[in-house]
Structure formats: structure tokens, C-alpha cells
Amino acid sequence: MENTRKRFKFQLNIGFIVFAIIFVYLTITVVVNLMKDTVSVCRVEEGQIVNSASFTGVCIRDEEVVNASGSGYINFYVGEGDKLASSGNIYLLTSNPPAAGEAGNSESAGFSTAAYSDIRDQITVFSKNYSDSQFSQTYSLGYNLQSLSTEMVSEAKIQDYQVNTSSGQVIKTTQSGIVSYSYDGYENLSVEGVNKQVISDSTYEKHQIDPYTYIEAGQPAYKLVHTHQWKIVIPLTPEQASELKDTTSVNLTFTKDNIKTVSDFYIYQGSDGSYGVLTLNDYMVRYISERYIDIEIIFEEASGLKIPTSALLSKDFYQIPIQYLLTDNRSYETGFYCERTNENGEIVADFRTSGIYYKDDEYFYVSTEDFSLGDYIGKVNSGENDDRFRIGATGQLYGVYNVNKGYTQFEIVNILHRNSDYCIVQENLNYSVALYDNIILNSDTVTENQIVY
């Protein structure tokens, strides 16, 4: 029996080949994409950078405590923060205490609608600005409400005292000033007397003089502040002192009320460190009872296009002195007359208007792709070699990679302000980024003219 063998002939399948090629391509693409750095894109937005710091400062005023000239029950003619002229009535001393329930009784005092409105305003300001991190504001609120109550009750009751008390003695001031009914022992403090111990005095205690209380002769009766000008002294770190060494005024915010103002500023070098001294002519009365006050100082503030600092990179440009810029007589375009030697050794010249990226007080910065090393820049038909400039020197400009067209294009930026995370750059600058442009977030992950998507 004859065995027959079937021979199989391998036949090339074009479909299999196409499938294999596609499979290999996809595999390589996936592997390459997994191995390369991830390219992140962000959008240019408008923004602001504020360089600021918070401080607790000590307040210094031209103030003095005036002691009682006699003993008795005290009641006041003027309220906290009121201006009093010399020889004006300041308080009344009586030998008899107020009748039971009389002191602090709002019904007998007959508080006005305006009085209640003042109390509501104090509570509203407190509730809007309160935070758990500044619980001490609660004590300030209590003091302010007590001061308002003192003023309201005194105004309503002092006439009754004068009428019903034959032994009352009216005391007048010998000087003019703004009145306060609190004291703390720091009334004679000067800028030179401020140190770290004063700034962080854990034993600090403020005393308040209340109406209808008995005081002895020689005890504090009130305090007079003689001028509206006052100072706030704040401690500075060596870095802050260096940053503010040439500063003569600062923008500040009173944290308690979110009030913003401008203050004169100088640095005082104390025995134990540097101190910033802020001089103000406003808001003294508002904070007349405060010895320590929380403020925020804005060192620098800038607005514009906000971009991450990780997007920044630098690029070399040729520098051409600004006096070589010309205006074409026919097109009236501005540019440079450029002479260069071509491949045949011939000198050729043309007028170039492109590639000019930036201008400062001395130079134009032109692209190394549009101009070449050794090119001569000069005037048309000048015939004077001394009147030409040879391209050679370079300068660096900061920029970002714009990917609006799907590939990376370098665009310059003029940085107005910069911190560790972001920078503010100038808007409406030629060859620069614009609002809502898409840029590479990490410039070190790509190269120029790289296709991104």
C-alpha cells in the first residue's frame, strides 16, 4: 500500500501581516507613552499675588493717667474717646453711693434708640470678624460694650447726681485731650523702650475705671491722650527687616475690623532685634483702649496674568543696540538692515521686520532663528564699517511654552512679581502669552516645537 504524503505549502496572509504591524505599533506606542514624562497643560488666568505678613504690635500714644483729686463715688461727664477742652468738666465726685438698682439700670437711665444702635453695631462688627484663632477679641467686645454702657448711663444720671447730691464736687481738666477710662502701666512707653518682653508680656493687665464706684484720692480717675498721632511697634525677623530696609510707607489692615490704611514706616534697631515702627494719624480713637493690636502688612502686591513658576524657562536671544532700528521708506515698517555672506561667499542684504521679541533701554532681543551669528546690522548704503554692528552678544529672556496649536512654541513673559509658586506677568506684550492661552505646566518635560497633541 502506497503511502501518500500531503505537503503543506506556507501561504503568506496579507491580513495577518497588517494585524501584526498594527499590534507592534500599538505596543511600542503604549510603552513609549508609559516611559516618557507626563506633559501637563494649564490655562493662563488673571490673578493677583500678595506678599504679606501678620503681626501683633504694641501701641504707643502721647498719654497720661490723671489721678483723682479727692475721694468719693465717681461719675463721668464725657464718654470714652471723646475730645475734652482744657478746664472742661470731666467727672463728678459724690459722698453718697448711688441708690440700689440705680447704677447700670437702663430703664432708669432712659437709653435712647441711638444708644441701642451703637451696641448693635459693636456686636455686628464682632460677629462678622470673629474667628476661633482670635478668641481674645471676645474680651475686647466685652470692654467696648462696658465702655458704651458707662457713657450712656453717665449721660443719663449725672444731672440727677448734681440735683440730688449737695456734696457733689465737679472736677475739671487742666489740659485738653481725648478721654479714656482704661490704664495699664504702659502710658509712658516709648519706641526705644519696646523689647521682646514688652511685645509678649504674659502678665499684662488692663484696668478699667467704672462709674458709680468709690475711689480714693490719688487713684487713677481717667486718662488723657494729647494727640491723634500714634505709633504701632512690631517685631521683625532678619529677613523681614532686610526686605523692608528701604520702605518708608506700608499698606496695613487692622485684623479686628478689616480696616485698611496706609502708614509711614521706619525700622528701629533695638538691643534685642529689629522693630518696625508704623506712624498713623487716623483710627487712634477707635483703638484708644487697645495696647496690643493685630495687623497685617502688605509688603508687595501685583496683578496681571498669573502663571505657575514651574512653567518658566529661559532662552538665548541676540542683542542689537536700539539705535540700529530703522523705518522702511516705502512700507513704513520698522526693522533692521542686515548684511550677511551667503553660501557662495557673496554679500547679500535684506530688511528684516520679524524675530524682534523684546526691547529694554539698551537692546532689542531678536530670535536666533531669524538672525545669525556674524551678521552685520547697519544703515542702507552707509558705506561706513564703523556704522555697522556685528551680531554676537546674547541675552536671556524668560518665557513659557504655548501649546494652542498642538505643539510647543516659546513665548516671552515680562515678570512683574514672583514667589515660590506663581508669578504675575505683564499683559498685552508682543510675542507674549495672552489670557486663556494653554501653556506647559512643567517646562522641563518638553522641548521647543514638540508635538503635544
Side-chain angles (χ1 to χ4, degrees):
M1 184 175 181
E2 184 179 353
N3 292 329
T4 58
R5 294 181 179 178
K6 294 182 178 180
R7 296 182 178 180
F8 294 94
K9 186 178 180 180
F10 179 76
Q11 294 182 348
L12 193 63
N13 189 320
I14 189 66
F16 177 80
I17 295 174
V18 172
F19 176 79
I21 292 174
I22 294 175
F23 178 78
V24 172
Y25 171 77
L26 291 176
T27 302
I28 294 174
T29 301
V30 170
V31 171
V32 169
N33 286 332
L34 290 175
M35 293 181 63
K36 72 178 184 179
D37 294 330
T38 302
V39 177
S40 300
V41 176
C42 65
R43 178 164 292 184
V44 177
E45 303 279 357
E46 286 186 328
Q48 185 181 52
I49 291 179
V50 177
N51 181 14
S52 64
S54 297
F55 301 90
T56 296
V58 58
C59 302
I60 297 177
R61 311 174 188 86
D62 181 10
E63 56 191 348
E64 67 170 318
V65 174
V66 181
N67 295 327
S69 58
S71 301
Y73 292 92
I74 192 169
N75 199 24
F76 306 114
Y77 279 92
V78 295
E80 179 89 1
D82 287 346
K83 174 76 174 179
L84 190 64
S86 179
S87 300
N89 294 342
I90 178 64
Y91 64 88
L92 176 71
L93 279 179
T94 63
S95 57
N96 298 326
E102 188 176 57
N105 188 326
S106 62
E107 293 183 2
S108 63
F111 283 2
S112 65
T113 302
Y116 285 114
S117 177
D118 288 341
I119 293 176
R120 283 195 298 269
D121 290 344
Q122 287 280 350
I123 297 175
T124 299
V125 170
F126 169 80
S127 59
K128 284 183 177 180
N129 296 282
Y130 173 77
S131 64
D132 291 338
S133 61
Q134 295 176 327
F135 182 77
S136 59
Q137 293 177 350
T138 307
Y139 301 104
S140 296
L141 174 66
Y143 175 80
N144 291 338
L145 293 178
Q146 190 171 10
S147 297
L148 280 174
S149 176
T150 296
E151 180 179 351
M152 296 167 187
V153 173
S154 295
E155 289 176 353
K157 299 299 296 180
I158 196 157
Q159 292 183 353
D160 293 339
Y161 265 81
Q162 289 177 288
V163 171
N164 300 326
T165 308
S166 58
S167 59
Q169 180 185 7
V170 177
I171 307 300
K172 298 179 180 292
T173 61
T174 57
Q175 302 181 68
S176 61
I178 300 103
V179 177
S180 176
Y181 297 112
S182 67
Y183 64 97
D184 56 12
Y186 279 132
E187 283 72 26
N188 295 321
L189 183 65
S190 64
V191 172
E192 294 75 16
V194 176
N195 52 37
K196 291 181 180 179
Q197 182 178 356
V198 172
I199 292 290
S200 57
D201 187 358
S202 59
T203 63
Y204 175 79
E205 184 178 2
K206 180 168 62 177
H207 305 277
Q208 183 175 333
I209 306 162
D210 296 318
Y212 308 112
T213 57
Y214 187 85
I215 65 171
E216 298 283 351
Q219 288 183 342
Y222 63 96
K223 183 171 67 179
L224 273 183
V225 182
H226 299 295
T227 175
H228 282 274
Q229 187 179 87
W230 58 307
K231 299 180 187 296
I232 303 175
V233 182
I234 57 175
L236 299 175
T237 64
E239 293 77 15
Q240 290 168 340
S242 177
E243 186 174 1
L244 295 169
K245 63 180 180 180
D246 298 322
T247 302
T248 58
S249 65
V250 294
N251 296 315
L252 70 94
T253 301
F254 292 102
T255 305
K256 177 181 177 181
D257 302 321
N258 199 32
I259 294 176
K260 304 179 187 298
T261 188
V262 179
S263 167
D264 292 339
F265 180 87
Y266 70 90
I267 293 179
Y268 167 71
Q269 191 63 45
S271 59
D272 59 353
S274 299
Y275 295 88
V277 182
L278 295 82
T279 304
L280 303 99
N281 294 303
D282 299 316
Y283 305 111
M284 190 281 295
V285 173
R286 187 180 187 90
Y287 303 107
I288 193 171
S289 64
E290 307 287 345
R291 180 63 63 189
Y292 295 95
I293 193 165
D294 294 327
I295 62 173
E296 180 184 24
I297 292 181
I298 299 175
F299 298 144
E300 191 174 3
E301 185 174 8
S303 300
L305 300 180
K306 188 175 183 179
I307 62 176
T309 54
S310 60
L312 294 176
L313 71 153
S314 61
K315 182 179 178 180
D316 288 333
F317 290 83
Y318 290 130
Q319 294 176 314
I320 300 177
I322 59 176
Q323 62 265 29
Y324 287 91
L325 185 72
L326 300 174
T327 302
D328 184 72
N329 293 330
R330 289 175 295 181
S331 65
Y332 297 102
E333 290 184 302
T334 56
F336 297 101
Y337 177 74
C338 182
E339 293 181 353
R340 61 185 175 86
T341 302
N342 62 16
E343 297 176 353
N344 300 324
E346 300 173 339
I347 297 177
V348 295
D350 58 359
F351 188 73
R352 300 184 189 179
T353 59
S354 62
I356 306 172
Y357 274 74
Y358 187 68
K359 170 183 174 293
D360 60 20
D361 294 335
E362 297 183 61
Y363 299 102
F364 284 97
Y365 291 77
V366 299
S367 170
T368 56
E369 286 80 25
D370 293 277
F371 293 80
S372 300
L373 182 66
D375 287 352
Y376 282 96
I377 305 297
K379 296 182 179 179
V380 179
N381 299 325
S382 64
E384 299 179 8
N385 291 334
D386 292 340
D387 201 23
R388 296 188 302 170
F389 173 80
R390 188 176 185 181
I391 292 179
T394 60
Q396 287 189 332
L397 294 177
Y398 280 105
V400 296
Y401 283 135
N402 187 313
V403 291
N404 287 345
K405 297 180 180 179
Y407 63 94
T408 57
Q409 292 179 288
F410 182 86
E411 292 185 339
I412 66 168
V413 293
N414 183 24
I415 301 174
L416 303 178
H417 183 75
R418 179 177 179 176
N419 60 25
S420 59
D421 298 318
Y422 291 95
C423 60
I424 297 295
V425 303
Q426 182 179 344
E427 296 185 73
N428 303 320
L429 188 67
N430 291 334
Y431 297 97
S432 185
V433 292
L435 187 63
Y436 304 131
D437 277 352
N438 293 311
I439 62 174
I440 297 295
L441 178 61
N442 299 304
S443 60
D444 56 355
T445 61
V446 296
T447 58
E448 192 167 2
N449 297 319
Q450 176 180 325
I451 296 176
V452 177
Y453 49 80

